[in-house]
Amino acid sequence: MKDRQHLFNLIIIGDEILHGSRQDKHFAFFKSLLESKGLKLNQVQYLPDEPDLLVRQLRRSFSDGIPTFVTGGIGSTPDDHTRQASAAALDLPVVRHPEAAGFIEAVTLKRGEPLDAPEHAQRLKMADFPEGAELVPNPFNNIAGFSIREHYFFPGFPVMAHPMAEWVLETYYAGRFNQTERGSRSVYVFDQPESRITPIMEHLERTYAGIRSYSLPTVGRTDSDGRYTPPHIEFGIKAEGEACRLLDAAWEDALQGLQAIGATLKETVE
């Protein structure tokens, strides 16, 4: 069974991202954050603020058993459904978390607002989580997110979500940092169509357990200085864990196959 200890999923929730009124800033951040720890982003979903769909997708995500970051939809306005959907996906009630409520009370008092004000009652909804949830601290404004079943729920604001994600990794997953060996080899291939490279890829994956191959075609282009780069393919192999010991042999096999079909090769630029 494939080792999944280094894998994490990401769910980005919000009509504003899907409809284009806000640009997503989460994907690039989470990918970079995980890679900096020797971890890997396994899957990304973009979901609307649609309660029934959120319940279905979160139920499936909880069943996957992979740690998952979830951004968006945990505010207190009628278009925020993530807290309720996560509880429904687990068949749990939504309950008020006393510590989270205490943080919100402190925020209200700091603003000079009375605790019996309608604004405070509305704000307290952000302390309602699935029963059994634990808090994820929010250093930006101290209104906490929550975690349950290795799913970590953050506000949609990057300034809040990103440091919260860093805290989650350092608190719960530091023992997984940089534990999985990874390796790759690649080369630019000219003067060959993908159809002639495909049998080489199939041979490599059939012969070397755990080796994965890839082929990334690029159309020709003329740079601003007039230099022309002809169409080519970035061809490569990659491996994780024990399969890394097969990289050198598999790559030598790959190069021999490319030379046999008359490919022109050029080293890739790191």
Side-chain angles (χ1 to χ4, degrees):
M1 184 176 182
K2 182 180 178 181
D3 177 24
R4 306 197 305 177
Q5 291 298 300
H6 63 295
L7 300 179
F8 287 75
N9 289 340
L10 172 63
I11 298 175
I12 300 168
I13 297 171
D15 289 345
E16 68 280 2
I17 292 176
L18 288 170
H19 298 164
S21 57
R22 286 191 179 175
Q23 185 177 7
D24 170 48
K25 296 182 179 179
H26 294 305
F27 171 75
F29 170 81
F30 279 92
K31 181 177 183 295
S32 176
L33 174 64
L34 289 167
E35 289 177 350
S36 73
K37 310 293 186 184
L39 304 170
K40 184 177 179 181
L41 188 58
N42 176 62
Q43 182 185 109
V44 181
Q45 289 188 80
Y46 290 86
L47 299 177
D49 294 301
E50 171 54 49
D52 291 341
L53 177 60
L54 290 176
V55 172
R56 291 197 302 272
Q57 295 301 315
L58 285 170
R59 183 174 290 132
R60 183 200 61 75
S61 182
F62 282 120
S63 71
D64 281 347
I66 295 177
T68 300
F69 300 115
V70 185
T71 70
I74 65 169
S76 62
T77 56
D79 59 337
D80 291 313
H81 306 289
T82 304
R83 291 177 290 107
Q84 299 88 338
S86 62
L90 293 169
D91 296 317
L92 292 172
V94 173
V95 297
R96 182 149 297 173
H97 194 291
E99 188 176 358
F103 290 153
I104 292 172
E105 289 180 2
V107 169
T108 296
L109 293 173
K110 186 175 181 179
R111 293 182 177 185
E113 300 172 0
L115 296 181
D116 59 356
E119 294 81 4
H120 177 64
Q122 184 69 22
R123 198 175 293 131
L124 275 176
K125 293 180 180 180
M126 291 187 287
D128 294 344
F129 305 142
E131 186 177 51
E134 298 182 357
L135 298 189
V136 176
N138 178 351
F140 183 82
N141 61 8
N142 214 31
I143 297 179
F146 66 96
S147 69
I148 189 166
R149 307 282 181 88
E150 287 196 283
H151 280 56
Y152 305 93
F153 294 83
F154 313 135
F157 299 102
V159 70
M160 302 180 191
H162 295 177
M164 294 169 77
E166 293 175 347
W167 179 89
V168 165
L169 288 179
E170 294 290 344
T171 301
Y172 297 114
Y173 298 102
R176 300 187 187 183
F177 292 175
N178 302 305
Q179 295 299 302
T180 301
E181 182 183 1
R182 295 188 182 88
S184 63
R185 308 284 189 275
S186 63
V187 69
Y188 293 135
V189 179
F190 294 84
D191 306 321
Q192 296 293 332
E194 276 192 297
S195 58
R196 297 202 69 195
I197 295 176
T198 300
I200 299 173
M201 300 171 69
E202 293 173 340
H203 163 73
L204 293 172
E205 297 195 8
R206 186 170 57 247
T207 306
Y208 302 94
I211 294 292
R212 297 182 60 188
S213 60
Y214 63 90
S215 172
L216 303 173
T218 300
V219 299
R221 70 177 188 274
T222 301
D223 296 332
S224 57
D225 59 4
R227 289 185 299 176
Y228 175 68
T229 301
H232 61 278
I233 296 168
E234 181 182 343
F235 168 81
I237 61 174
K238 54 188 175 181
E240 295 181 350
E242 287 295 317
C244 288
R245 62 186 174 83
L246 302 175
L247 271 171
D248 288 340
W251 189 235
E252 181 63 28
D253 198 347
L255 292 177
Q256 289 178 8
L258 292 170
Q259 291 164 0
I261 63 173
T264 300
L265 308 180
K266 181 181 179 181
E267 290 186 6
T268 54
V269 179
E270 294 295 333

